[in-house]
Amino acid sequence: MTQICPKCSYIRKETDTCPAWQCPSCQVAYAKAGDTTRPQLLQPAARTNRLDRDNSALWKWLLMAALLGAVLWQLKPAGRFGSKSTTQQSADGKQTMQQPVVILYGTTWCGYCAAAREFFKANGIAYTDLDTEKTTEGYQGHKKLGGGGVPLIVIDGEVMHGYSEAGLRQALAPWIKN
């Protein structure tokens, strides 16, 4: 009967001089001489079957996680921004969409923060300006959202890292005055 070490996969030869309860390659002792209650070394088939069962269970879990991710991806809102915006009735009876909440986390010395402020001012966008260096609310909010740099712009809960005029125009298109 061929014996294989379960630790190092060494195949025992008849010429090996180590005791039967010890691996000639890695010197691991498996059972004391005369102990017949425990198997001395595992057979290759038993070891392979256990690994195959473990791998098949792992693959089943990975497949289920991938399917769940795909379902959740399909159920997300279609629009990136504006999904939380509400509609209001204007004085002339037409429905108008209310501008989403816009928060700018920035600093006074940041050029991109200044460009974002100018964009909001030029396009008639109402926003809240929170300085991350001067206010505790600004610092903690910036940190809570992942921070990393300024400006950090939040539009109805959607976070935009950095300044992108094209991104702002796309997100705020219905409310831009120009």
Side-chain angles (χ1 to χ4, degrees), residues 81-88 96-102 119-126 155-156 168-178:
F81 295 107
S83 59
K84 297 179 185 176
S85 300
T86 58
T87 57
Q88 287 184 336
T96 59
M97 290 179 58
Q98 185 179 15
Q99 178 190 315
V101 176
V102 179
F119 174 84
F120 293 143
K121 183 179 175 186
N123 293 296
I125 302 295
I155 302 172
D156 249 358
L168 289 173
R169 286 194 180 280
Q170 178 185 0
L172 298 168
W175 302 280
I176 292 178
K177 302 285 188 238
N178 297 338

Side-chain angles (χ1 to χ4, degrees), residues 10 20 27 31 35 51 55 63 74 78 80 84 87 91 98 101-102 106 109 113 119-120 133 135-136 146 155 169-170:
Y10 177 79
Q27 305 299 316
D35 185 6
L51 289 176
N55 284 339
L63 180 62
Q74 292 297 322
R80 180 173 174 191
K84 297 179 185 176
T87 57
Q98 185 179 15
V101 176
V102 179
W109 52 264
C113 300
F119 174 84
F120 293 143
E133 294 179 330
T135 65
T136 304
I155 302 172
R169 286 194 180 280
Q170 178 185 0

